[in-house]
Amino acid sequence: THEQGGESDEIPRHEVTFANGFWVGKYEVTQAQWEAVMGSNPSFYTGDLNRPVEQVSWDDAQAFITAVNLLGDDVVRLPSEAEWEYACRAGTTTRFYWGDDLNESQIVDYAWYNKNSDETSPAGQKIPNAWGLYDMCGNVREWCEDWYHVSYTGAPTDGSPWVSPAGTRWVNRGGSYYDIDNLCRSAYRHSNEPTFKYPSTGFRIV
């Protein structure tokens, strides 16, 4: 069944049991973090290195991850779509992690979206979810490891990324400063080509 504002690609609802635990970034990857690893800043909205890095494609995010992993500390990657939604919801089943918010009156306290911002904001300014994760529903959309599919029929049940069969667009999740409130729901799905770069799209690592 659809929740208020739901889209056809958000169903069928399905249960996922993660094969392994995971850690997830408290914030979206910032411009400071990107600069420290890559020596450059591709972002459109500059002036504060605590803003999320944006104008990075899925391929760019993978290049950053490869560079971080070469440093030899931890093995990081993009989240699977299932991991992303699990982390965003933080145990909730409502439209947003703060509740159903059916008239979208509370979202202003939790997310940067098109009614309270016209550009990115420094990470961690809004109220986090119950697990202490910030900007899951706004600021910039976040790339995931999965190819986009038009429904969840046949999706992995172990929380792994849906990479076979290959698609043409990668999933990104989470709403942005550019999006209307309904597009910031926990279940809402976006997708773009692997080379797509835009000021409203960044990523978070697990």
Side-chain angles (χ1 to χ4, degrees):
T1 57
H2 286 302
E3 64 186 20
Q4 179 176 303
E7 306 272 355
S8 62
D9 65 355
E10 297 167 17
I11 55 176
R13 291 190 179 187
H14 57 291
E15 189 169 287
V16 169
T17 302
F18 292 103
N20 298 291
F22 60 97
W23 296 95
V24 61
K26 184 176 181 178
Y27 308 114
E28 294 160 335
V29 172
T30 65
Q31 295 176 26
Q33 290 171 319
W34 183 279
E35 274 195 9
V37 174
M38 306 297 278
S40 61
N41 187 354
S43 303
F44 182 78
Y45 296 113
T46 55
D48 187 333
L49 291 176
N50 288 318
R51 292 179 189 236
V53 68
E54 26 83 2
Q55 287 202 142
V56 288
S57 67
W58 189 91
D59 292 340
D60 294 335
Q62 295 293 351
F64 173 87
I65 285 165
T66 297
V68 170
N69 287 335
L70 285 172
L71 300 174
D73 294 328
D74 288 300
V75 177
V76 300
R77 55 181 172 79
L78 289 178
S80 71
E81 196 178 4
E83 288 172 336
W84 189 94
E85 187 166 327
Y86 180 76
C88 175
R89 289 184 177 279
T92 65
T93 55
T94 47
R95 297 172 72 229
F96 304 98
Y97 65 70
W98 54 90
D100 277 322
D101 198 4
L102 295 176
N103 57 2
E104 281 95 16
S105 60
Q106 298 168 271
I107 186 174
V108 65
D109 294 327
Y110 295 88
W112 295 111
Y113 72 116
N114 76 331
K115 287 184 181 171
N116 66 1
S117 60
D118 53 13
E119 59 184 66
T120 62
S121 296
Q125 305 279 302
K126 294 294 187 179
I127 300 172
N129 69 13
W131 295 347
L133 305 177
Y134 290 83
D135 296 320
M136 293 295 296
C137 290
N139 213 1
V140 292
R141 298 177 180 183
E142 302 176 15
W143 289 114
C144 293
E145 191 70 35
D146 306 52
W147 287 113
Y148 174 77
H149 299 77
V150 296
S151 83
Y152 284 126
T153 301
T157 57
D158 63 356
S160 61
W162 198 355
V163 293
S164 180
T168 58
R169 298 160 69 90
W170 297 107
V171 171
N172 50 61
R173 299 289 298 261
S176 75
Y177 74 87
Y178 184 80
D179 289 314
I180 63 170
D181 41 35
N182 188 57
L183 305 193
C184 296
R185 290 176 300 107
S186 301
Y188 189 77
R189 310 171 70 208
H190 315 272
S191 65
N192 291 105
E193 295 79 12
T195 54
F196 174 88
K197 305 183 188 202
Y198 202 72
S200 64
T201 306
F203 65 106
R204 176 183 316 255
I205 53 177
V206 302

